[in-house]
Amino acid sequence: MKEKNTPKGPVRRLLGAINRALIKLGHLIGSVVNPVVMAVVYLLVLGPVSLLSRLSGGDPLRLKFRSDGGTGTYYEVHQSTNDSVGACRRQF
């Protein structure tokens, strides 16, 4: 199948050069804009959320040492809800 209305010769080379230049320009703009956008997201979203979490005493990863019952360990006993073999066979 032949393509219709495709540029030929020097026009095609010129358009190809313009296309490559615009692609390089797009990469350059993206390499500048991306860090700026990520910094704004970090400063306006993640920063305040983490600050509020620290101020409220939150410890979602349980990094603070808790010596419950004088055991002196980080180990937490897992409270299982269903230990039957049938629960293991049909997990999903």
Side-chain angles (χ1 to χ4, degrees):
M1 233 194 231
K2 232 178 180 184
E3 296 180 27
K4 295 181 180 179
N5 298 327
T6 58
K8 305 256 188 254
V11 175
R12 186 174 187 156
R13 284 192 296 270
L14 177 65
L15 290 176
I18 292 172
N19 185 21
R20 286 187 295 276
L22 288 176
I23 287 175
K24 287 181 183 180
L25 178 66
H27 283 290
L28 179 67
I29 291 172
S31 67
V32 172
V33 171
N34 188 26
V36 171
V37 170
M38 295 304 282
V40 168
V41 167
Y42 178 79
L43 293 173
L44 295 180
V45 176
L46 296 177
V49 169
S50 66
L51 183 64
L52 288 173
S53 176
R54 284 181 184 245
L55 290 176
S56 68
D59 187 20
L61 296 178
R62 298 183 184 143
L63 297 175
K64 293 179 185 174
F65 183 73
R66 294 182 180 95
S67 58
D68 296 335
T71 58
T73 181
Y74 286 100
Y75 181 76
E76 294 184 11
V77 178
H78 176 69
Q79 301 296 327
S80 178
T81 56
N82 191 356
D83 286 337
S84 69
V85 176
C88 295
R89 287 193 179 131
R90 300 205 57 182
Q91 296 179 19
F92 304 105

